Amino acid sequence: MYVCSCFGVTEEQVQEHAAAGACTPRQIASASKAGTDCGSCVRRIQGILGRGQCPRRAALDRGESPLTAQPSPAPAAA
């Protein structure tokens, strides 16, 4: 199902971007342009993103600065 008719972005694509780390409609827009033309899909994108895990959101919930909340780097392979 299309979420953004302006750029042909589907709900599945939004979910894929979210799984890849996009936590906000702005990050979805950076990845797919969804929400950058008429804006009518932004609320739908917010609904898809919900209140799931997001490093920045988790930092805010803990009272920390979201700018310092970065995912831990993967350990280097030996």
Side-chain angles (χ1 to χ4, degrees):
M1 173 182 206
Y2 284 103
V3 172
C4 176
S5 298
C6 297
F7 293 104
V9 179
T10 65
E11 185 172 337
E12 183 179 334
Q13 288 172 306
V14 172
Q15 290 170 340
E16 289 171 2
H17 290 303
C23 303
T24 65
R26 184 170 288 176
Q27 291 170 335
I28 296 294
S30 293
S32 66
K33 294 188 180 180
T36 62
D37 194 23
C38 75
S40 66
C41 60
V42 174
R43 287 194 185 264
R44 177 72 180 127
I45 292 169
Q46 288 172 327
I48 293 168
L49 296 175
R51 293 285 297 171
Q53 287 287 31
C54 178
R56 291 182 187 102
R57 189 176 298 130
L60 283 172
D61 291 344
R62 290 189 306 267
E64 300 171 5
S65 170
L67 298 177
T68 59
Q70 297 295 323
S72 301

